Amino acid sequence: MKKRFFIFALFFAFCNIFAHNIEFINTAKIKNAAKYSDKITFLYDNMPFLSGFIPDEYWKAPISKAEYREKLKDILKILAEYPENKNQEYLLLKAYVCEALYHLDEPDSYKAAVQAYTAVDTLKDKDYRYKWFLGSFYAHAGKPFEAIKQFEYILERIPREKLHPDFIADYAY
């Protein structure tokens, strides 16, 4: 019993340590972010409950998973009201919300997260973070071969000294 708990605790810790994090999104570069800054604050304040999967028996959040799902769906509606589909930061924020919904077992959120991440691929001025976050998302969704493709894409194109240390940690995971 202790061994199973230790393995689960270790798995849970790694999921939360290496999960895609809203702190890597520069919301100051989103033109309309001021119109929904309270929603962005909600995401920051609730990051520990949104950035990785937590089984029901270990759920200790201030509100239920169902309430979180509803709040996140409302955030997606607000993001849709102020689309900035040519803005990487906006698309990463949208993907973060979709990924959080995936961690909360919302149907169709996996597909929505992948679509939001891959939408960045069409932009001219983009950096490697979308591939990084998509790779981490795939890894935590049990798609290791897709994850490896994303990380290798980055490693082939970006000099090591320009990579964020957390990228290396996610790649090692």
Side-chain angles (χ1 to χ4, degrees):
M1 180 72 163
K2 286 182 183 180
K3 185 177 180 181
R4 273 196 222 157
F5 178 76
F6 177 73
I7 290 170
F8 173 77
L10 192 60
F11 172 76
F12 179 72
F14 275 111
C15 284
N16 282 329
I17 289 170
F18 300 121
H20 162 218
N21 197 318
I22 192 169
E23 293 173 338
F24 293 115
I25 301 171
N26 186 352
T27 56
K29 290 185 176 182
I30 301 173
K31 294 175 199 155
N32 293 308
K35 295 178 180 171
Y36 47 85
S37 63
D38 59 323
K39 305 301 182 191
I40 294 172
T41 300
F42 171 82
L43 295 173
Y44 276 102
D45 291 346
N46 291 278
M47 188 175 25
F49 308 109
L50 303 175
S51 293
F53 175 75
I54 302 172
D56 292 339
E57 60 267 22
Y58 296 103
W59 187 257
K60 303 256 190 279
I63 61 176
S64 71
K65 285 185 176 184
E67 291 171 293
Y68 272 112
R69 282 191 295 269
E70 292 309 311
K71 288 183 179 290
L72 292 172
K73 287 184 214 173
D74 288 342
I75 292 172
L76 283 178
K77 287 178 189 172
I78 290 169
L79 289 174
E81 289 176 22
Y82 303 101
E84 295 182 40
N85 294 322
K86 300 290 184 198
N87 181 333
Q88 178 175 345
E89 305 305 321
Y90 169 84
L91 292 171
L92 291 177
L93 179 62
K94 183 178 175 181
Y96 177 82
V97 175
C98 293
E99 186 172 339
L101 282 165
Y102 173 75
H103 295 309
L104 295 168
D105 296 321
E106 178 64 25
D108 300 324
S109 55
Y110 174 87
K111 183 179 177 182
V114 171
Q115 286 176 337
Y117 284 127
T118 55
V120 176
D121 204 31
T122 64
L123 304 179
K124 284 177 70 177
D125 297 322
K126 59 186 176 269
D127 60 44
Y128 70 92
R129 288 175 298 148
Y130 78 104
K131 291 279 192 182
W132 168 17
F133 300 159
L134 180 58
S136 293
F137 178 64
Y138 281 145
H140 291 102
K143 307 253 184 216
F145 298 110
E146 287 86 347
I148 290 168
K149 286 179 196 173
Q150 303 306 313
F151 289 119
E152 285 180 347
Y153 177 91
I154 294 167
L155 291 170
E156 291 170 1
R157 289 164 180 78
I158 308 296
R160 297 281 200 280
E161 63 274 3
K162 292 190 178 194
L163 294 172
H164 194 284
D166 286 348
F167 166 80
I168 301 300
D170 283 354
Y171 179 60
Y173 168 79

